[in-house]
Amino acid sequence: MAFELPKLKYDYAALEPHIDALTMEIHHTKHHGAYTNNLNNALKGGEWENSKIEDILANISKLPVAVRNNGGGYYNHNLFWEVMSPNGGGQPAGDLADAINQFFGSFVKFKELFSNAAMTRFGSGWAWLVKSGNELKITSSPNQDNPLMDIAEVKGLPILGLDVWEHAYYLKYQNRRNEYVDAFWNVINWDEVTRRFKA
Ligand code: MN
């Protein structure tokens, strides 16, 4: 049972002007598509071929680097498309809002810390909001690594992720990662982040 590239729940242009349609299309079809195909090829015929992606990532230190890179890429982009929405933005409510206030002081402070994680990740990688036991943590990871991997510095369940690879923003923002990070706050799907928080 091979992994499949998921369909997006919104059009490529739906996140405009924050994320442009051409970036979305290339990012989904070419980048995410390649991670998916390369993951399937890397697993073919091996003992992990029919495993859940979460189990693969939890054992990534035992697997070839192609599985680490492409398995991470497959999982991370699945999450990324879902934590964005054309009706996104604003702030979370309820238990997630309470937890953000508890662990980071305020939503404003959380926004500052998460944005800082995204800005200070050198080169390609991701910024994460992670549920780790009963705690929320902010972290970042290089390349396509993520907090589900057994090699991760900060482990836990990623509930929000921001792709800071240049392929995620260069067409529209060129070198201005800060503008892309600012724009991301307008498309965050807090309902989906909350669903993951409660899972
Ligand atoms: Mn990407």
Side-chain angles (χ1 to χ4, degrees), residues 27 35 77 126 144 163 165 167:
H27 202 172
Y35 295 127
H77 290 85
W126 291 74
Q144 295 295 352
D163 188 345
W165 283 57
H167 68 225

Side-chain angles (χ1 to χ4, degrees), residues 9-40:
K9 292 172 181 159
Y10 43 84
D11 294 338
Y12 291 130
L15 304 181
E16 298 251 16
H18 310 293
I19 302 182
D20 63 287
L22 183 59
T23 296
M24 286 296 297
E25 182 174 357
I26 295 171
H27 202 172
H28 179 242
T29 60
K30 306 296 183 190
H31 293 275
H32 197 188
Y35 295 127
T36 306
N37 290 336
N38 292 340
L39 173 62
N40 288 330

